[in-house]
């Protein structure tokens, strides 16, 4: 019961926070500073999700060259800087990761 209450509460909270920004009839305007700060939220969340996958292996920090996740991430960063193509970068880095591991 508590689980479903938490799920419904979190769903309502997420919906309300999105609705405030997406509803054009509400007079909510954010200043430039807040908009600039919000532009960093997606990369920050992605980094927080990806960093443990890349650097933690078997519950220990692994920054060795034997870590295929780290090599795949480094390859993805390099490919993205060179090609500036997301699909090509994702395809090639996943292929490299599968080939290494």
């Amino acid at each position: 019961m508590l689980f479903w209450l938490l799920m419904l509460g979190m769903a309502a909270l997420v919906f309300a926070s999105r609705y405030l920004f997406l509803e054009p009839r509400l007079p909510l305007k954010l200043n430039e500073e807040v908009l600039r700060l919000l532009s960093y939220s997606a990369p920050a969340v992605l980094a927080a999700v990806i960093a443990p996958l890349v650097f933690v292996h078997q519950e220990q920090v692994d920054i060795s060259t034997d870590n295929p996740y780290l090599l795949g991430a480094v390859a993805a960063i390099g490919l993205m800087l060179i090609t500036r193509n997301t699909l090509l970068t994702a395809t090639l880095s996943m292929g490299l990761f599968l080939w290494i591991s």
Side-chain angles (χ1 to χ4, degrees), residues 17-18 20-22 26-39 41:
S17 65
R18 301 302 189 272
L20 288 175
F21 291 108
L22 297 176
L26 292 176
L28 180 63
K29 295 283 184 187
L30 300 175
N31 63 20
E32 293 297 321
E33 183 80 14
V34 173
L35 290 175
R36 189 173 62 84
L37 288 174
L38 286 175
S39 70
S41 62

Side-chain angles (χ1 to χ4, degrees), residues 7-70:
M7 291 297 288
L8 290 174
M10 289 179 3
L13 182 67
V14 168
F15 176 78
S17 65
R18 301 302 189 272
Y19 184 77
L20 288 175
F21 291 108
L22 297 176
E23 175 56 43
R25 289 177 286 179
L26 292 176
L28 180 63
K29 295 283 184 187
L30 300 175
N31 63 20
E32 293 297 321
E33 183 80 14
V34 173
L35 290 175
R36 189 173 62 84
L37 288 174
L38 286 175
S39 70
Y40 298 118
S41 62
V45 168
L46 287 175
V49 169
I50 292 172
L53 294 173
V54 170
F55 295 110
V56 178
H57 190 245
Q58 295 178 345
E59 298 183 10
Q60 292 184 347
V61 176
D62 183 9
I63 54 172
S64 69
T65 56
D66 294 336
N67 184 355
Y69 294 97
L70 181 60

